[in-house]
Amino acid sequence: MARQSFTASGFDVVTTNGPAGTLTLTANAATSVISHTDVTAASLIFLMPTSANAAADQGSATGVWVSGRSAGVSFTLTHPNNANADKTFNFWMVN
């Protein structure tokens, strides 16, 4: 297959070395608060599951989503309420 190149227009390119880390969702709860001083009201927070139970929660009917941000303090994730204690994710925050 020949290598092809293309040009995309109309898109913003974001360059960042933004904060990243790991987190574990709280078992037997529907929300988890993740303390992080770099969060802003407009932070984009990307989650990548690193355990099977995290992937199952992310793929569930309710999913795992950022439901709140408190600038300079924390962000909140809403997720399925179950007893699994090993729901771990990597995260990357773009400000």
Side-chain angles (χ1 to χ4, degrees):
M1 174 178 269
R3 184 175 179 185
Q4 298 178 348
S5 63
F6 66 92
T7 302
S9 61
F11 297 94
D12 292 329
V13 176
V14 176
T15 302
T16 181
N17 60 352
T22 60
L23 61 89
T24 301
L25 301 181
T26 306
N28 299 307
T31 61
S32 297
V33 177
I34 311 303
S35 296
H36 206 295
T37 58
D38 290 329
V39 71
T40 71
S43 291
L44 301 176
I45 301 167
F46 299 91
L47 301 171
M48 288 98 10
T50 59
S51 68
N53 284 328
D57 273 12
Q58 190 173 46
S60 71
T62 57
V64 178
W65 56 285
V66 178
S67 54
R69 296 171 190 82
S70 180
V73 178
S74 64
F75 59 93
T76 301
L77 300 175
T78 296
H79 51 82
N81 182 348
N82 58 48
N84 297 327
D86 64 338
K87 301 179 288 189
T88 57
F89 289 83
N90 288 333
F91 72 89
W92 177 47
M93 186 184 318
V94 178
N95 292 325

